[in-house]
Amino acid sequence: MSELLTNVIEHVGEATPVTVRLFRTPDGRTRLEVTDPDPHAWLIARHPGEDDETGRGLLLLDAVARRWGVWLTPGGKTVWCEVSLSPGDPETFQVPHPFPPQP
């Protein structure tokens, strides 16, 4: 959730009003939706260099979410993602050990 909110702050503005919705889908996934009033701010995944301090957010979202996307409306946009949080679900994101990777 912090990545989606950080994108609003960074790219739309710190005082931007947002709506956050978190709910369970009928098929058991957890869905997060963040809506802001800017219909023109597109999400673009970057490919940052090793020393870049920003630019990894959408890559992380893509790695941990089962699926994600953007809905554009005349009144703004909604960025959403779905994740599986059940330990027995083969699509649940699992952090490899050790984390962070050792050289």
Side-chain angles (χ1 to χ4, degrees):
M1 176 165 36
S2 66
E3 178 54 37
L4 299 183
L5 293 172
T6 299
N7 276 347
V8 173
I9 293 168
E10 290 283 322
H11 302 291
V12 183
E14 200 169 305
T16 302
V18 298
T19 301
V20 177
R21 287 181 291 283
L22 182 68
F23 58 93
R24 181 76 92 180
T25 65
D27 61 357
R29 292 189 185 99
T30 300
R31 184 179 182 102
L32 170 66
E33 297 178 355
V34 176
T35 301
D36 69 64
D38 187 354
H40 304 292
W42 282 90
L43 296 163
I44 299 171
R46 296 178 19 199
H47 298 283
E50 286 183 22
D51 296 330
D52 291 343
E53 294 183 12
T54 62
R56 292 176 180 79
L58 291 178
L59 298 173
L60 290 170
L61 179 63
D62 193 54
V64 301
R66 170 103 178 17
R67 38 187 228 143
W68 67 276
V70 181
W71 294 327
L72 295 177
T73 67
K77 72 176 170 307
T78 298
V79 181
W80 59 272
C81 66
E82 292 180 359
V83 295
S84 298
L85 299 177
S86 303
D89 187 335
E91 295 179 7
T92 298
F93 176 73
Q94 308 232 349
V95 176
H97 295 286
F99 187 81
Q102 302 298 315

